[in-house]
Amino acid sequence: MKSWITYAEDSDFSIYNIPFGVFSIGDSAPRLASAIGDQLIDLRAVAKTGLFDSLNIDASVWDAPFLNDFIALGKETTNKVRLTLQKSLCDEGSMLKDNDSIFLDQSSVVMHLPVQIGDYTDFYSSIEHATNLGKLFRDPENALLPNWRHLPVGYHGRASSIIISGTNIHRPKGQQKPADSDPVFGPCKLLDFELEMGFIIGKDTPLGSNITTDKADDYIFGKVLFNDWSARDIQKWEYVPLGPFLGKNFASSVSPWVVTLEALAPFHVAGPEQTPSVLPYLQYEGERNIDINLQVIIQPEGGEENIVSESNFKYMYWNMAQQLAHHTVNGCNVKVGDMMASGTISGKDEKSYGSMLEISAAGKRSLTLKDGSERKFIKDQDTVIMRGYAQKNGMRVGFGEVKTKVLPAL
Ligand code: MN
């Protein structure tokens, strides 16, 4: 495939991608977009050319502040929108060509949260991450808890504090328990990122029904990069016995472009072998992991970017189909726009750990940055950036980035 739009060879937004997002420019209300290269494609302007006329889509869909109504049209329609756009961007006689109202520089717009998120669930599906944490906090010999290889462990998170890339956060405050004193209140001292990917639900289900692993892809619209911020000291004190709460719910950051499952189809690979074998409702067919290169960067105020982790989504022990099958096996319904996050994605070696907790071995090791400063956790004024892309046979499909700066506690 070759587009008449030119873009850099290493662009995340090649003709093979065609992601979806929400933007605004100047004082305009947010509306829907796609992207190619460094250009943003205004979907309302595309619809006005008549390109999508045969799909009978209500014009209000393009003017919505979130992708939810678009996603709710169903994959039969949204896939046609993506493929029609892709084809037109390759067609030399396209009616989109030389139409100045359609293309904008991505650098000239503001991107918004792509979906209105009803519910957010976070899994814990990287065996390397779960093992690292088990070794740090429990038993090095028996790092994984007995349930871990039998079900994709997860918890219900908080949707209200999921923020778009570019939104700064303040260091959270809360209770911490020093080893040698009573609990204290103050700014978190052990602020951390979690390198994750999120998937967005593409189809409602009725309460009482469940999604099987072989049908899961019909219910997943697409994926984003996901930085699941963590206040480790607050988390450590509060989490017993009900799990994550204020150490987790102050912010999670997402990338603006939703990359469809269809765009990621060429990059599927086999997942790790699961032993012992899983219960029938968690069994699956085919290659369900996806080869997506992931990177975490710390950029100190005014300083250079420092790559602190290079991991890959393909390492996940539990895949998205299994996560969704498990999430709904009890009859729990899902809704368009719900966000499901993978859990921290760590690989086998130290360079691929997905959190500072693992990189610093819970604060026992320091990372030296290019400017000579040291990090065990994230400091005020640091910007944390995550990037990700899949690449194969000359096709590149990427996510851009999710970027968040940490400001001092209020
Ligand atoms: Mn997490």
Side-chain angles (χ1 to χ4, degrees):
M1 266 192 293
K2 180 153 175 36
S3 175
W4 40 265
I5 298 255
T6 51
Y7 52 82
E9 209 173 305
D10 64 350
S11 174
D12 282 351
F13 307 111
S14 73
I15 187 67
Y16 301 100
N17 193 340
I18 315 296
F20 294 99
V22 174
F23 81 106
S24 65
I25 182 157
D27 295 332
S28 76
R31 60 181 189 270
L32 273 49
S34 182
I36 183 162
D38 54 12
Q39 300 287 295
L40 175 136
I41 305 169
D42 179 346
L43 290 177
R44 180 175 75 185
V46 174
K48 277 188 182 151
T49 67
L51 187 70
F52 304 137
D53 278 4
S54 65
L55 302 176
N56 289 315
I57 298 168
D58 194 291
S60 66
V61 166
W62 312 113
D63 265 317
F66 294 106
L67 291 172
N68 296 53
D69 289 350
F70 173 70
I71 295 172
L73 295 171
K75 280 205 182 199
E76 203 179 320
T77 302
T78 57
N79 284 342
K80 277 183 192 158
V81 167
R82 181 172 164 270
L83 295 174
T84 303
L85 197 54
Q86 197 172 48
K87 194 166 164 230
S88 192
L89 290 166
C90 293
D91 172 12
E92 288 294 339
S94 169
M95 57 176 113
L96 306 186
K97 223 172 167 180
D98 303 319
N99 186 332
D100 287 344
S101 66
I102 293 174
F103 300 98
L104 296 161
D105 275 339
Q106 283 189 42
S107 59
S108 70
V109 307
V110 174
M111 296 302 293
H112 299 267
L113 200 62
V115 284
Q116 187 162 33
I117 303 163
D119 273 306
Y120 156 48
T121 300
D122 192 22
F123 287 95
Y124 187 58
S125 289
S126 153
I127 197 163
E128 288 82 7
H129 173 70
T131 304
N132 287 341
L133 262 62
K135 281 182 187 166
L136 285 172
F137 295 121
R138 283 186 305 272
D139 179 0
E141 300 298 308
N142 271 305
L144 289 179
L145 287 167
N147 62 0
W148 202 91
R149 287 174 182 270
H150 294 277
L151 54 88
V153 169
Y155 70 96
H156 287 298
R158 177 116 192 127
S160 67
S161 53
I162 297 181
I163 53 176
I164 187 67
S165 175
T167 311
N168 299 336
I169 60 168
H170 287 274
R171 179 174 297 273
K173 290 183 286 194
Q175 275 199 34
Q176 301 132 42
K177 172 73 174 72
D180 49 2
S181 80
D182 287 340
V184 296
F185 176 82
C188 154
K189 293 182 187 70
L190 310 180
L191 183 62
D192 201 356
F193 57 78
E194 287 184 342
L195 170 62
E196 305 198 17
M197 296 203 74
F199 71 83
I200 291 163
I201 293 293
K203 193 175 174 181
D204 290 355
T205 59
L207 184 68
S209 69
N210 69 297
I211 300 170
T212 55
T213 55
D214 62 323
K215 293 278 188 294
D217 285 1
D218 299 345
Y219 294 84
I220 301 172
F221 177 74
K223 295 185 65 61
V224 290
L225 300 169
F226 195 93
N227 179 356
D228 190 25
W229 291 97
S230 299
R232 299 300 182 193
D233 39 5
I234 297 171
Q235 187 179 3
K236 190 179 178 191
W237 171 230
E238 75 175 358
Y239 87 103
V240 186
L242 286 187
F245 193 37
L246 305 186
K248 299 295 307 178
N249 72 3
F250 59 95
S252 300
S253 311
V254 296
S255 55
W257 293 107
V258 184
V259 176
T260 65
L261 214 52
E262 288 67 29
L264 293 167
F267 309 101
H268 278 243
V269 291
E273 195 190 329
Q274 297 183 321
T275 2
S277 63
V278 297
L279 285 168
Y281 79 94
L282 289 168
Q283 288 166 12
Y284 65 93
E285 306 259 321
E287 299 187 329
R288 304 305 287 265
N289 280 38
I290 311 179
D291 185 354
I292 303 171
N293 300 291
L294 299 168
Q295 211 175 52
V296 186
I297 289 129
I298 297 177
Q299 185 175 30
E301 179 75 352
E304 283 183 76
E305 292 190 359
N306 298 263
I307 299 169
V308 298
S309 176
E310 292 192 280
S311 187
N312 195 304
F313 187 58
K314 72 181 177 188
Y315 299 143
M316 302 307 294
Y317 187 87
W318 296 100
N319 60 52
M320 293 184 284
Q322 292 179 308
Q323 290 171 335
L324 206 43
H326 184 64
H327 199 305
T328 60
V329 75
N330 62 347
C332 172
N333 53 333
V334 295
K335 289 188 168 156
V336 167
D338 285 355
M339 180 76 75
M340 311 271 171
S342 56
T344 308
I345 306 162
S346 292
K348 291 202 190 315
D349 61 71
E350 285 174 26
K351 289 191 165 58
S352 60
Y353 290 170
S355 65
M356 290 307 289
L357 187 63
E358 293 162 271
I359 293 169
S360 74
K364 288 195 270 296
R365 280 199 299 259
S366 280
L367 206 65
T368 306
L369 304 186
K370 289 176 189 165
D371 64 4
S373 64
E374 302 209 322
R375 292 294 181 285
K376 290 176 175 172
F377 290 90
I378 301 303
K379 289 188 173 167
D380 289 347
Q381 312 298 345
D382 280 352
T383 298
V384 175
I385 306 165
M386 294 175 181
R387 301 195 176 111
Y389 66 92
Q391 196 162 27
K392 185 185 173 185
N393 303 336
M395 292 182 287
R396 175 153 165 150
V397 172
F399 290 80
E401 63 183 23
V402 54
K403 183 173 184 171
T404 315
K405 185 173 173 180
V406 176
L407 302 176
L410 284 170

